[in-house]
Amino acid sequence: MSTELFREPARDIEVLRQADVVVCGGGPAGVSAAIAAARTGAKTVLLEGHGALGGIWTSGLLSWIIDAGGKPGIMKEIIERLDKKGARQQSLGEDFTYDPEAMKLLLEEMCTEAGVIVQLHTRVCSAAVDESGRLALALTESKSGRQAWAAACFIDATGDGDLAAQAGCGFALGRPDSGETQPLSLMALVSGIRPEEVTPYTMDGLSEEPKRRLLEQMGIAGVFPSYSGPSLFHIRDGLFALMANHMYGAKATDAMQLSKATMLARQELHRIIDGLRAAGGVWSSLHIVSTAAQIGIREGRRIAGRYTVDEHDLQAGRVHEDGVCRVRYGIDIHSTNPEDGKGFGDDGKSSKPYDIPFRALIAADVDGLLLAGRCISGDFVAHSSYRVTGNAVAMGQAAGAAAALCASRRLLPQQLAWPDIRATLSRLEETQWNKP
């Protein structure tokens, strides 16, 4: 079967802005990286594909942050500022729910205060590496067409490692034996139920009991979700978030597979809600307020770095001198094959709290590029643990501070002295935001 080809004509692209730091991806890791870089004194640009900052937190309606406890600096500040807005449920220990609309506004406020230059509706589409092997440009597409962005240091916080892949970095994806990846899930905001009446079905931490009860209710209603651990999260007043689906076999790097998974997940969510409402009782007025603009992706590319976090780090509870984040969340592998079950597990592996070293944030194959969030260098098992967003914030904060140092000192990330990075992070962590 022949494939028709089209050769795109060569064209000149204006380098739109010379910056110290360019961050690609405005999710939890990217926003934190941009704020940290700007607060450290770097001229910082943040590029985000959606029409709001926050990524999975906001466009993805995640509404639930895991492993946020004990994370100093930006994560602690986000918690305090959400509380000031009355936008966080505080009864869930270190993990908590939040109002995604309030989160959108808060992240914009924090970036504006720090002096970050934000461009939304903009996606990475290519990259240029110079003859020395250093990343020179990130190229994007938007309503403004093709644009090129220059920086002294770049940060890939796209989640799927899009910038790094475009720059030619090596990466892994999925299980090492089969390539199977964890399933996707589309979140929904729902209303029409009373908090006091659905308490038995509402998440109260990481307990599995509310999930079991909710699954039973769905079965009574005659709807059987693709995920065996459906979860209902109370956000505020009569507003809840629902995660009830697993879209198997869809790669985060394939637009058509993502499209099909998104539409199937949306159909399933409406089918579940319609079924529960028809069952009556506490669900008689249940309805969907909104489904997410972005399907939740647990697993994309894992970019090759100068250190690879692996399952042995987790089993040993390894501590690193250059640790940027202490991960307390365990192994959480959502079923990669529905024939083996529709829940989640740990593949029989154990874990202890462990460090992510700064070296895992440095791209191995291209200079001048840092990684933050779930696209850092790690193996399949370790990734299932560190991928949650409380850790993404800590990684972003470290990457942003380091990138700013690279720009001011004209050094590559691997040339920075760890004590200097640690000192910069300490200053950021100690800085008190304005609390009027």
Side-chain angles (χ1 to χ4, degrees):
M1 178 179 178
S2 62
T3 302
E4 186 176 350
L5 298 176
F6 168 74
R7 184 176 296 277
E8 186 176 8
R11 52 177 164 164
D12 294 326
I13 301 171
E14 180 184 2
V15 178
L16 186 67
R17 189 180 294 273
Q18 294 277 353
D20 295 323
V21 176
V22 167
V23 182
C24 296
V31 167
S32 303
I35 292 169
R39 288 180 177 176
T40 307
K43 182 179 180 181
T44 305
V45 171
L46 176 59
L47 306 172
E48 163 58 26
H50 288 286
L53 296 176
I56 189 61
W57 275 356
T58 54
S59 298
L61 299 179
L62 181 63
S63 308
W64 173 250
I65 298 179
I66 295 175
D67 209 356
K71 302 293 194 297
I74 292 173
M75 187 71 255
K76 181 173 181 288
E77 179 179 335
I78 287 172
I79 290 172
E80 292 176 350
R81 294 178 71 154
L82 285 172
D83 286 346
K84 187 175 178 63
K85 292 177 179 289
R88 186 175 79 99
Q89 292 288 331
Q90 303 180 57
S91 59
L92 304 173
E94 293 188 348
D95 308 320
F96 60 87
T97 60
Y98 61 90
D99 184 331
E101 189 61 31
M103 182 70 87
K104 290 178 187 177
L105 182 61
L106 172 58
L107 298 180
E108 289 175 2
E109 289 171 349
M110 292 177 70
C111 283
T112 299
E113 290 165 7
V116 177
I117 300 162
V118 176
Q119 182 165 306
L120 304 174
H121 308 290
T122 302
R123 291 187 179 276
V124 173
C125 64
S126 188
V129 177
D130 66 22
E131 294 180 355
S132 71
R134 181 170 184 157
L135 183 58
L137 297 171
L139 284 84
T140 60
E141 286 284 0
S142 68
K143 283 289 189 179
S144 299
R146 184 75 60 95
Q147 295 174 316
W149 308 80
C153 190
F154 293 85
I155 299 174
D156 187 335
T158 61
D160 299 319
D162 294 335
L163 176 62
Q166 290 290 344
C169 292
F171 61 87
L173 180 64
R175 290 186 179 275
D177 53 348
S178 65
E180 292 175 344
T181 57
Q182 294 193 61
L184 316 178
S185 291
L186 185 70
M187 297 290 297
L189 296 182
V190 300
S191 191
I193 48 180
R194 298 178 183 275
E196 65 274 13
E197 293 180 345
V198 295
T199 297
Y201 318 110
T202 304
M203 295 297 291
D204 57 359
L206 294 178
S207 170
E208 295 302 304
E209 195 60 22
K211 296 181 180 182
R212 184 189 63 78
R213 297 191 191 108
L214 183 57
L215 184 63
E216 287 180 353
Q217 289 288 296
M218 291 178 179
I220 292 170
V223 289
F224 303 94
S226 53
Y227 173 42
S228 64
S231 306
L232 186 67
F233 304 96
H234 185 214
I235 297 175
R236 65 192 309 171
D237 305 320
L239 185 64
F240 293 77
L242 176 67
M243 198 280 279
N245 54 77
H246 268 177
M247 297 294 108
Y248 303 97
K251 290 287 193 296
T253 53
D254 187 307
M256 185 56 71
Q257 290 183 22
L258 282 175
S259 299
K260 291 179 178 178
T262 300
M263 290 189 287
L264 287 172
R266 185 171 290 114
Q267 292 169 17
E268 181 178 357
L269 284 169
H270 279 273
R271 186 167 62 250
I272 289 170
I273 296 304
D274 290 347
L276 284 171
R277 185 173 58 251
V282 299
W283 312 108
S284 60
S285 297
L286 179 67
H287 62 273
I288 289 179
V289 175
S290 177
T291 53
Q294 166 188 329
I295 195 166
I297 298 170
R298 292 183 175 87
E299 186 177 3
R301 302 180 187 91
R302 306 188 304 273
I303 305 301
R306 289 177 173 259
Y307 182 94
T308 300
V309 184
D310 62 25
E311 62 181 82
H312 303 297
D313 289 283
L314 279 64
Q315 291 166 349
R318 193 159 291 154
V319 175
H320 295 275
E321 180 185 5
D322 61 340
V324 300
C325 175
R326 171 53 62 101
V327 180
R328 295 179 174 85
Y329 190 59
I331 297 168
D332 181 18
I333 302 172
H334 285 242
S335 175
T336 57
N337 187 333
E339 294 182 1
D340 297 328
K342 297 183 179 181
F344 59 91
D346 57 15
D347 277 14
K349 310 289 176 64
S350 62
S351 67
K352 301 175 184 177
Y354 63 96
D355 286 352
I356 294 175
F358 177 65
R359 288 160 290 159
L361 278 58
I362 305 174
D365 301 325
V366 172
D367 284 334
L369 175 61
L370 286 163
L371 315 165
R374 59 182 170 81
C375 67
I376 69 162
S377 182
D379 72 4
F380 175 81
V381 173
H383 169 273
S384 75
S385 165
Y386 63 65
R387 64 179 172 83
V388 295
T389 59
N391 298 315
V393 172
M395 288 186 264
Q397 179 174 275
L405 289 178
C406 288
S408 65
R409 300 182 182 185
R410 299 184 180 181
L411 296 174
L412 296 173
Q414 63 268 28
Q415 295 171 329
L416 293 175
W418 170 247
D420 292 343
I421 302 173
R422 180 64 263 173
T424 302
L425 286 171
S426 294
R427 286 193 294 272
L428 286 172
E429 292 163 4
E430 292 167 1
T431 300
Q432 293 293 305
W433 60 278
N434 184 28
K435 303 178 183 180

